[in-house]
């Protein structure tokens, strides 16, 4: 077949197959993204909208409660004298007619005087019984019918206290339910309209009941509709949520609801068609599909025109790449093309030059790294250190201090065993601390009371990997420059290993004379410009700093500080995500 022999035909075939496959995957991913992200986000936004509006309704109730509380604090009400509170409440009734249907003053037995000069007994009403039992100073009733005009109202009842603080009565504020529910009218989600639910699962709207055929399901304990039952129970528990429910004719609708603060089991809800919720996303997917199909078609015809002009220089570049694959980086470049292919060829040759440069730098760094590690190992086998240690063991044996001799031999064995570490470049922090502790034990055996030390660490860091032998050069440097024999006070070395964000910080500080400001500045500058040993820094500090930076970058390494008159060296080392066991 032609496409098997023609590179251009293969390009067209592969392009068609791959782009079609990618297009199909893209449509699938977009649809999944919408289903897993956009739709839940839409539900969450709708939930927030209803919750905010429910809180606004609760705030409206709180405002009415505050108004009633202010009235209870007046002398006319706290006295519970009819000659005082009746004229006063008639005036309040006229002033607040827009918010309240009426007011009533209630005695402790439930006999209420209403501002329209009628008397009613509310002792058996649920809200009066609730105010008598609750510790709160107020209660909110479920909707009831007004005695004066049969309009639905809600009653807020508030306790009245005398000047001595004794409960002497109650004040009722009757509010038209329409005033309350009108606040929720401006919620519009698709085809849904807001409604209120009281503690008995009765629903109320200000525009009739457009969804009566299914909303009334909330008032039934249906045995064959568990979704409705669960929704009703969830609302009664004063929870908020978004749930899907089926109408009797099988349509799917989403119900969003939230409890209204300051009420006894009231909730604000809204329902809307589930199909309308996904309508926009369905249109988006369809539009993306049409756009993608058009782009595929356009790209296919464009590829027919461009494939011929692209294949020839690409084949030439491919041959050069094959030469590079053999390891030959010595290629000549003589192309004069100014188009994208020419830019690709120039970029390829620049990449070859960079590879050659990186190979050179890598070989140089590896050489320096090996030399530094080798010198550190050589430094460990110092004749005078080994001689002094063996001499200390000899005297311990002669003085028959067997236990001390054993401990010194174990410390010496640990020192060299961890130092060699079977050629491993990294060891655990625990082993590194064991290594430096064995080193300090050997030194303490020699200097006795003139030397002391402490090692503190975060136990969660012990199994993290670190470069080996990074502490001994620094401790040795402290002894060389800070230790004074036959001093009145012992020379003290403190080592701390702690976590700082994503890095491991090891601080070594001693009690010797603090380093001078000029010397501190000189060492810091030498470490920054990577001076060779002897140019302001010793080999131990230079090699340790160099090894850390070669392994992890220039943001890590050593730094010197003066802390409270003492010299402190900080090692900044990354906390490697893998533990030593994982590496092994």
């Amino acid at each position: 077949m032609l496409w098997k022999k023609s590179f251009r035909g293969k390009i067209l075939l592969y392009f068609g197959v791959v782009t079609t496959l990618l297009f199909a995957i893209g449509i699938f991913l977009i649809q999944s993204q919408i289903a897993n992200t956009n739709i839940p986000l839409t539900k969450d936004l709708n939930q927030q909208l209803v919750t905010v509006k429910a809180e606004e309704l609760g705030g409206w109730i709180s405002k009415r409660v505050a108004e009633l509380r202010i009235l209870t604090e007046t002398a006319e009400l706290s006295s519970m004298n009819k000659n005082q509170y009746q004229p006063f409440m008639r005036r309040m009734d006229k002033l607040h007619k827009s918010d309240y249907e009426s007011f009533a003053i209630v005695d402790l037995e439930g006999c209420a005087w209403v501002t329209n000069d009628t008397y009613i007994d509310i002792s058996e009403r649920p809200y009066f019984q609730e105010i008598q039992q609750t510790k709160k100073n107020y209660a909110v009733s479920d909707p009831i019918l007004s005695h004066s005009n049969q309009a639905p109202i809600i009653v807020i009842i508030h306790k009245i206290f005398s000047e001595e603080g004794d409960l002497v009565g109650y004040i009722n504020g009757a509010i038209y339910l329409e005033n309350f529910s009108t606040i929720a009218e401006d919620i519009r989600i698709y085809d849904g309209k807001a409604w209120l639910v009281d503690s008995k699962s009765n629903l109320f709207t200000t525009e009739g009941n457009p969804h009566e055929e299914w909303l009334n399901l909330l008032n039934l304990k249906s045995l064959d509709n568990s979704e409705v039952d669960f929704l009703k129970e969830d609302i009664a528990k004063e929870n908020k949520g978004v749930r899907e429910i089926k109408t009797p004719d099988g349509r799917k609708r989403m119900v969003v609801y939230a409890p209204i603060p300051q009420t006894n089991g009231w909730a604000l809800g809204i329902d809307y068609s589930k199909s309308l919720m996904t309508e926009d996303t369905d249109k988006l997917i369809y539009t993306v599909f049409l756009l993608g199909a058009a782009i595929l078609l356009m790209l296919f015809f464009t590829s027919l025109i461009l494939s011929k002009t692209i294949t020839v220089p690409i084949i030439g570049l491919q041959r050069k790449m094959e030469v590079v694959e053999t390891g030959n980086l010595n290629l000549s470049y003589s192309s004069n093309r100014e188009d994208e292919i020419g830019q690709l060829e120039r970029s390829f040759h620049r990449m070859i030059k960079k590879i050659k440069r990186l190979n050179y730098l890598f070989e140089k760094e590896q050489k320096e790294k090996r030399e530094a590690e080798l010198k550190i190992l050589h430094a460990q086998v110092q004749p005078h250190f080994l001689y002094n240690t063996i001499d200390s063991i000899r005297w311990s044996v002669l003085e028959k201090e067997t236990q001390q001799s054993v401990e010194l031999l174990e410390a010496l064995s640990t020192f060299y065993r961890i130092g060699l570490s079977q050629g491993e470049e990294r060891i655990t922090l625990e082993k590194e601390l064991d290594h430096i502790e064995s080193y300090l034990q050997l030194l303490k055996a020699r200097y006795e009371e003139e030397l002391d030390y402490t090692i503190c660490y975060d136990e969660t860091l012990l199994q993290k990997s670190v470069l080996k032998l990074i502490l001994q050069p620094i401790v040795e440097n402290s002894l060389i420059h800070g230790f004074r024999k036959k001093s009145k006070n012992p020379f003290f070395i403190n080592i701390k290993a702690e976590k700082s964000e994503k890095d491991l910080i090891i601080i070594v500080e001693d009690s010797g004379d603090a380093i001078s400001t000029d010397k501190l500045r000189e060492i810091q500058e030498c470490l920054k410009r990577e001076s060779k040993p002897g140019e302001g820094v010793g080999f131990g500090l230079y090699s340790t700093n160099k090894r850390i930076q070669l392994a992890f970058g220039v943001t890590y390494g050593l730094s010197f500080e003066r802390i409270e008159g003492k010299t402190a060296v900080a090692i900044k080392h990354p906390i490697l995500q893998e533990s030593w066991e994982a590496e092994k």
Side-chain angles (χ1 to χ4, degrees):
M1 298 177 67
L2 181 62
W3 66 270
K4 291 184 178 180
K5 299 180 181 180
S6 170
F7 184 69
R8 181 185 180 188
K10 289 181 179 180
I11 290 178
L12 296 176
L13 178 64
Y14 296 155
F15 172 81
V17 173
V18 172
T19 51
T20 301
L21 181 61
L22 290 176
F23 175 71
I25 294 174
I27 292 294
F28 173 77
L29 291 178
I30 291 173
Q31 191 171 12
S32 299
Q33 178 71 13
I34 290 174
N36 298 329
T37 303
N38 291 24
I39 292 178
L41 179 60
T42 300
K43 292 180 179 179
D44 185 60
L45 291 174
N46 292 340
Q47 177 68 79
Q48 292 181 32
L49 176 62
V50 173
T51 301
V52 168
K53 185 57 67 172
E55 291 174 352
E56 182 180 342
L57 290 170
W60 189 86
I61 290 289
S62 297
K63 185 177 180 181
R64 304 286 83 78
V65 171
E67 292 170 351
L68 292 178
R69 184 183 67 251
I70 293 173
L71 291 178
T72 65
E73 295 171 353
T74 61
E76 288 84 354
L77 267 64
S78 61
S79 67
M80 284 300 286
N81 187 321
K82 292 183 179 181
N83 295 328
Q84 294 183 22
Y85 69 68
Q86 287 183 353
F88 176 74
M89 293 309 300
R90 290 191 186 98
R91 293 196 304 271
M92 293 298 102
D93 186 55
K94 292 179 181 180
L95 289 174
H96 297 280
K97 204 63 179 177
S98 59
D99 292 326
Y100 293 89
E101 186 265 346
S102 64
F103 291 99
I105 304 299
V106 188
D107 61 21
L108 297 177
E109 286 73 31
C111 181
W113 170 82
V114 187
T115 49
N116 59 7
D117 286 325
T118 60
Y119 288 88
I120 57 175
D121 182 9
I122 65 169
S123 59
E124 299 299 324
R125 295 191 178 181
Y127 64 87
F128 183 75
Q129 295 176 352
E130 179 183 352
I131 193 67
Q132 289 183 312
Q133 298 172 3
T134 183
K135 294 182 180 180
K136 296 193 300 183
N137 290 333
Y138 71 93
V140 181
S141 75
D142 285 333
I144 59 176
L145 296 180
S146 171
H147 278 273
S148 60
N149 55 17
Q150 297 300 303
I153 59 172
I154 56 175
V155 176
I156 302 176
I157 183 170
H158 198 289
K159 295 178 180 178
I160 301 175
F161 295 94
S162 66
E163 293 181 356
E164 291 76 21
D166 298 324
L167 179 65
V168 293
Y170 308 92
I171 181 174
N172 282 5
I175 305 170
Y176 285 114
L177 180 62
E178 182 179 0
N179 292 351
F180 184 62
S181 59
T182 300
I183 299 175
E185 282 185 6
D186 57 345
I187 300 181
R188 288 291 184 270
I189 303 178
Y190 305 113
D191 63 339
K193 295 180 181 179
W195 35 264
L196 302 174
V197 184
D198 64 12
S199 61
K200 298 178 181 178
S201 297
N202 297 312
L203 286 98
F204 307 91
T205 66
T206 58
E207 303 180 15
N209 195 347
H211 311 304
E212 183 176 2
E213 61 179 7
W214 75 270
L215 285 180
N216 284 338
L217 290 174
L218 291 175
N219 297 317
L220 303 175
K221 187 63 178 177
S222 173
L223 298 177
D224 58 352
N225 198 332
S226 59
E227 295 174 350
V228 173
D229 294 339
F230 188 84
L231 175 61
K232 177 181 175 181
E233 293 173 2
D234 206 35
I235 291 176
K237 293 177 182 178
E238 299 189 21
N239 294 330
K240 64 179 180 180
V242 181
R243 299 200 175 277
E244 180 179 324
I245 194 170
K246 280 187 179 181
T247 63
D249 58 2
R251 290 178 297 166
K252 294 182 179 180
R253 297 186 71 84
M254 305 301 298
V255 180
V256 187
Y257 53 93
I260 300 175
Q262 312 302 329
T263 63
N264 183 21
W266 283 54
L268 172 66
I270 188 170
D271 69 284
Y272 53 86
S273 172
K274 183 180 180 180
S275 61
L276 291 178
M277 181 181 69
T278 60
E279 184 178 10
D280 292 338
T281 55
D282 292 340
K283 289 181 179 178
L284 176 61
I285 294 175
Y286 182 69
T287 302
V288 170
F289 177 82
L290 292 180
L291 181 61
I295 292 174
L296 282 177
L297 189 62
M298 181 179 64
L299 289 176
F300 177 77
F301 285 106
T302 303
S303 64
L304 289 174
I305 301 173
L306 296 180
S307 59
K308 185 175 182 179
T309 60
I310 294 175
T311 52
V312 173
I314 287 180
I315 291 173
L317 186 60
Q318 180 187 12
R319 291 173 180 171
K320 292 181 180 180
M321 291 180 178
E322 290 173 351
V323 173
V324 173
E325 286 180 352
T326 63
N328 182 7
L329 300 179
N330 300 316
L331 297 178
S332 59
Y333 175 68
S334 59
S335 175
N336 295 322
R337 296 178 65 98
E338 297 295 333
D339 58 9
E340 290 78 2
I341 300 299
Q343 294 176 9
L344 183 61
E345 291 178 343
R346 286 190 290 273
S347 298
F348 174 71
H349 283 275
R350 285 196 296 268
M351 182 185 68
I352 296 300
K353 292 181 180 179
K354 289 182 179 179
I355 291 175
K356 293 168 70 175
R357 174 65 178 169
L358 290 174
N359 284 342
Y360 168 76
L361 293 175
F362 178 76
E363 292 174 358
K364 181 181 177 182
E365 289 182 353
Q366 290 299 312
K367 181 179 179 181
E368 291 179 353
K369 189 176 180 181
R370 287 192 296 271
E371 290 176 352
E373 292 178 350
L374 184 60
K375 288 180 179 179
I376 287 178
L377 291 175
H378 288 168
Q380 283 198 329
V381 195
Q382 300 177 38
H384 68 275
F385 172 71
L386 187 59
Y387 169 77
N388 291 333
T389 302
I390 295 175
D391 189 57
S392 298
I393 298 174
R394 172 177 171 271
W395 280 107
S396 297
V397 174
L398 290 176
E399 294 176 3
K400 298 183 179 181
E401 296 180 355
T402 307
Q403 182 61 32
Q404 183 181 8
S405 302
V406 172
E407 291 176 354
L408 290 176
L409 285 172
E410 289 179 350
L412 183 63
S413 173
T414 300
F415 178 74
Y416 284 111
R417 174 172 51 79
I418 297 178
L420 296 173
S421 298
Q422 299 180 345
E424 295 289 346
E425 181 181 358
R426 300 178 188 176
I427 59 177
T428 62
L429 175 62
E430 182 178 20
K431 289 185 177 180
E432 180 66 17
L433 294 178
D434 288 343
H435 179 263
I436 197 61
E437 185 173 12
S438 65
Y439 179 64
L440 289 169
Q441 282 179 334
L442 296 173
L443 291 174
K444 184 169 176 60
R446 177 184 175 188
Y447 297 115
E448 298 181 343
E449 300 299 327
E450 295 182 78
L451 174 66
D452 202 356
Y453 65 90
T454 60
I455 300 176
C456 306
Y457 50 85
D458 183 345
E459 293 186 356
T460 62
L461 300 173
L462 289 179
Q463 298 305 313
K464 298 298 181 181
S465 299
V466 296
L467 293 179
K468 70 178 181 182
L469 308 183
I470 57 177
L471 279 173
Q472 189 226 332
I474 298 173
V475 173
E476 184 178 1
N477 183 76
S478 296
L479 291 167
I480 293 173
H481 296 286
F483 180 67
R484 298 289 181 270
K485 289 186 177 180
K486 298 181 180 179
S487 176
K488 294 181 179 180
N489 300 317
F491 183 71
F492 190 79
I493 295 178
N494 181 33
I495 301 174
K496 294 188 297 183
E498 57 191 15
K499 182 178 181 181
S500 176
E501 295 182 354
K502 296 183 180 180
D503 297 321
L504 167 66
I505 304 297
I506 305 177
I507 300 175
V508 180
E509 58 182 7
D510 59 63
S511 61
D513 296 335
I515 191 171
S516 66
T517 304
D518 294 337
K519 184 63 177 177
L520 178 63
R521 186 183 302 109
E522 179 185 359
I523 293 175
Q524 290 173 338
E525 291 296 326
C526 290
L527 291 176
K528 286 182 180 179
R529 63 173 183 264
E530 298 184 356
S531 300
K532 295 295 183 181
E535 300 178 6
V537 294
F539 170 76
L541 299 179
Y542 167 80
S543 61
T544 301
N545 187 63
K546 187 69 175 177
R547 287 174 62 219
I548 295 175
Q549 291 186 345
L550 284 174
F552 307 113
V554 296
T555 58
Y556 296 95
L558 306 184
S559 63
F560 280 70
E561 298 180 17
R562 294 181 62 182
I563 303 176
E564 299 179 354
K566 299 179 182 180
T567 302
V569 182
I571 304 174
K572 186 179 180 182
H573 189 291
I575 296 179
L576 304 178
Q577 294 300 321
E578 71 279 3
S579 64
W580 173 252
E581 290 77 3
E583 287 186 357
K584 296 296 283 182

